[in-house]
Amino acid sequence: MKRYFYQFILLICICFLISCGSLQEKNSAYKANLNTKITVNSDQIKQALYSQYKDWQGVRYQPGGLSRDGIDCSGFVHVTFKSKLGLNLPRTSVMQARMGDEVRKDELKVGDLIFFRTGKISSHVGIYLEKNKFLHASQKKGVTISSLDNTYWKSSYWKSVRL
């Protein structure tokens, strides 16, 4: 019986080591994907984002969701960049916030990611469009376009990232 217990522990350790290596590999893939040059201009990006909005408008917010049955903010960013811009971003807002280069709020361009602190340990992410508007999956409205001039978003603003 003791022998099986030690074999079981060994198997768990091996699985853990394998999974950690694959996580690092995935993170490297994101960086490699971002280092490739994007050959679309800002008008094409804007058109792709508005098209995504048209397809997803009103889809309800669902934590952990990744489909039209329900989607969360980071899932929406993940799906949008993959399907419309061909970039494979991490799934969570925490990992997305670590990508690219930080830019000032007054330097935002279409396609930049915008991050908000919505609680002590929670954050929210959206995609900048134009004229202080951004596309995101809102807990109250689902997939929508909001204004950075809104009191809530203005006070919750954390940082912006350009990929």
Side-chain angles (χ1 to χ4, degrees), residues 92-100 102 113 115 158-159 161:
T92 66
S93 59
V94 171
M95 291 298 291
Q96 291 169 355
R98 296 179 183 166
M99 307 303 291
E102 219 170 303
L113 298 183
F115 296 90
W158 171 30
K159 72 175 189 173
V161 171

Side-chain angles (χ1 to χ4, degrees), residues 45-120:
I45 295 171
K46 190 187 316 179
Q47 184 178 8
L49 293 175
Y50 277 111
S51 169
Q52 184 77 336
Y53 173 63
K54 182 180 173 192
D55 294 344
W56 285 76
Q57 181 179 10
V59 170
R60 72 182 178 87
Y61 183 91
Q62 179 183 341
L66 268 178
S67 73
R68 285 189 172 81
D69 293 330
I71 195 158
D72 63 17
C73 63
S74 60
F76 182 69
V77 168
H78 173 79
V79 167
T80 299
F81 271 78
K82 188 171 188 174
S83 66
K84 295 294 183 177
L85 303 173
L87 288 176
N88 191 21
L89 296 184
R91 170 63 183 85
T92 66
S93 59
V94 171
M95 291 298 291
Q96 291 169 355
R98 296 179 183 166
M99 307 303 291
D101 299 314
E102 219 170 303
V103 292
R104 291 191 341 234
K105 193 175 180 182
D106 63 347
E107 296 176 337
L108 286 169
K109 292 184 179 178
V110 63
D112 288 346
L113 298 183
I114 306 170
F115 296 90
F116 304 88
R117 292 227 190 262
T118 54
K120 284 187 177 183

Side-chain angles (χ1 to χ4, degrees), residues 9-43:
I9 296 297
L10 181 62
L11 179 64
I12 289 175
C13 290
I14 290 171
C15 289
F16 178 74
L17 290 172
I18 290 171
S19 67
C20 288
S22 65
L23 286 176
Q24 187 173 4
E25 200 171 296
K26 285 181 184 176
N27 197 17
S28 298
Y30 293 131
K31 288 183 180 181
N33 196 328
L34 289 176
N35 286 334
T36 59
K37 296 287 182 195
I38 303 172
T39 58
V40 292
N41 65 36
S42 60
D43 287 335

